[in-house]
Amino acid sequence: SKASQLAQRIANFIIDMFCRRMDEADAPFVEEEAKNNPALKAWLQARGVMVEGTWQWTTQCRLYTALMYTDDPCFLCLGAERLVRMLLVWERLTRELRLIMNKEKRSVGTHLIWLGFGILTTPGLLYLTKKKVVKLAVQMAAAIEGTLVLASYRSMMGSLEHIAFATNWDRSAMLGLWRPLSGSWEPNNRA
């Protein structure tokens, strides 16, 4: 819908502003870290050579990442000191933009929940949260019984598409599942 597209464009703009500020704040520290860490220096040089002379150079050499899906930001970084810098840059930006952060979604550490996934950063694991699994199981059971309305079926399909990237499944397996939504769509019709 237009509203979600607009929200995503604003999110992309906010993340771009954040990354420009974070790059500036982090650059001196990255240079210092690289002097004392030959492996990091080699990695940065390899990444820089890969895309040297393009706008992507800094994005390829960052020691952090910043993502936002509509109104849900997620930040990952290497090291506690960088985390503090990141939080300070984010706090300043949100204050300047007069954004109010949702207290329930604030978390910091080596484990986070983002967009229905649990992310364990130390072992590099991603899992679907229990809440998301239960919701999908209830929707699938109703679809099998023939009691799921099309609006809920559309929601279920969106959730399945959402998790498809993390499970690395062949998305062509879902083609037939979209058929109930191909005709005239009425919110209270049964899937």
Side-chain angles (χ1 to χ4, degrees):
S1 72
K2 290 180 184 177
S4 65
Q5 291 171 9
L6 179 61
Q8 189 58 51
R9 286 187 186 130
I10 293 169
N12 293 345
F13 176 69
I14 291 169
I15 289 298
D16 183 67
M17 289 173 61
F18 169 81
C19 288
R20 289 172 190 266
R21 293 174 185 204
M22 184 63 188
D23 288 345
E24 185 179 324
D26 205 33
F29 298 96
V30 173
E31 290 175 22
E32 189 61 34
E33 288 173 55
K35 286 179 188 175
N36 301 320
N37 185 334
L40 176 60
K41 185 176 182 177
W43 181 83
L44 288 168
Q45 287 174 337
R47 300 296 284 185
V49 169
M50 186 177 84
V51 290
E52 191 171 352
T54 72
W55 66 273
Q56 293 181 327
W57 189 86
T58 56
T59 64
Q60 293 295 316
C61 295
R62 287 177 176 149
L63 300 179
Y64 72 92
T65 190
L67 310 164
M68 186 183 285
Y69 180 74
T70 55
D71 65 342
D72 288 324
C74 176
F75 306 98
L76 301 168
C77 69
L78 294 174
E81 292 172 1
R82 184 163 288 104
L83 174 63
V84 171
R85 274 192 300 282
M86 181 178 273
L87 291 172
L88 288 171
V89 169
W90 181 248
E91 191 275 333
R92 282 185 207 119
L93 179 62
T94 55
R95 193 169 4 107
E96 286 175 26
L97 297 175
R98 298 181 184 195
L99 300 175
I100 299 170
M101 303 308 301
N102 182 336
K103 290 181 181 179
E104 292 178 18
K105 293 187 176 184
R106 292 180 190 174
S107 64
V108 68
T110 59
H111 173 256
L112 63 122
I113 304 294
W114 189 55
L115 304 178
F117 289 102
I119 303 169
L120 299 165
T121 60
T122 303
L125 297 174
L126 181 74
Y127 65 91
L128 204 54
T129 62
K130 183 178 180 180
K131 182 179 177 180
K132 189 74 99 173
V133 170
V134 168
K135 180 180 176 184
L136 276 169
V138 168
Q139 287 175 323
M140 287 180 190
I144 291 167
E145 293 169 1
T147 60
L148 189 67
V149 297
L150 280 175
S152 295
Y153 187 82
R154 180 184 226 80
S155 170
M156 179 185 76
M157 291 303 297
S159 293
L160 290 173
E161 289 283 350
H162 173 69
I163 64 173
F165 86 93
T167 58
N168 203 23
W169 68 34
D170 182 2
R171 289 184 60 223
S172 65
M174 294 180 61
L175 289 177
L177 297 175
W178 284 100
R179 186 160 289 127
L181 298 173
S182 63
S184 62
W185 183 73
E186 294 293 328
N188 294 320
N189 285 356
R190 303 277 178 220

